[in-house]
Amino acid sequence: MNAHDHKDFLMRASPLVTQDSALDRGMIGMTPDSLADFLAALSRPAEPVADMAELLRRPAPWEPGYLAKR
C-alpha cells in the first residue's frame, strides 16, 4: 500500500469510526426511580433460559458423544 492509498483509506474510514464511537457513548436518561429499578433488575439472579440450558448440555464438536445435525 503506498502513501496515497493509505491516506485515501484513512479519509474514508475516519468518519465511520467516529460515528461508531459517538453511537457507543450515547447518553441514556432516566429518572432516579427508573435507575433504581434498572439496577435492581441487574442485581437479581438471571432466570434460566431453557433453550440455552439445553445447548450448554450438548457435547461440543470435539467431545465424545457429539452428533452432527443433518
Side-chain angles (χ1 to χ4, degrees), residues 28-64:
I28 299 174
M30 59 179 66
T31 66
D33 288 340
S34 296
L35 177 60
D37 292 344
F38 178 69
L39 294 175
L42 291 177
S43 298
R44 287 193 296 269
E47 295 181 18
V49 177
D51 289 340
M52 183 62 75
E54 192 275 324
L55 176 67
L56 294 173
R57 281 192 292 270
R58 292 183 203 165
W62 56 88
E63 295 177 326

Side-chain angles (χ1 to χ4, degrees), residues 1 3-17:
M1 179 181 285
H4 183 72
D5 292 338
H6 188 248
K7 180 182 172 188
D8 288 343
F9 169 78
L10 291 176
M11 294 299 288
R12 285 194 311 272
S14 294
L16 300 174
V17 172

Side-chain angles (χ1 to χ4, degrees), residues 20-34:
D20 287 348
S21 179
L23 292 174
D24 287 344
R25 297 174 192 206
M27 296 289 290
I28 299 174
M30 59 179 66
T31 66
D33 288 340
S34 296

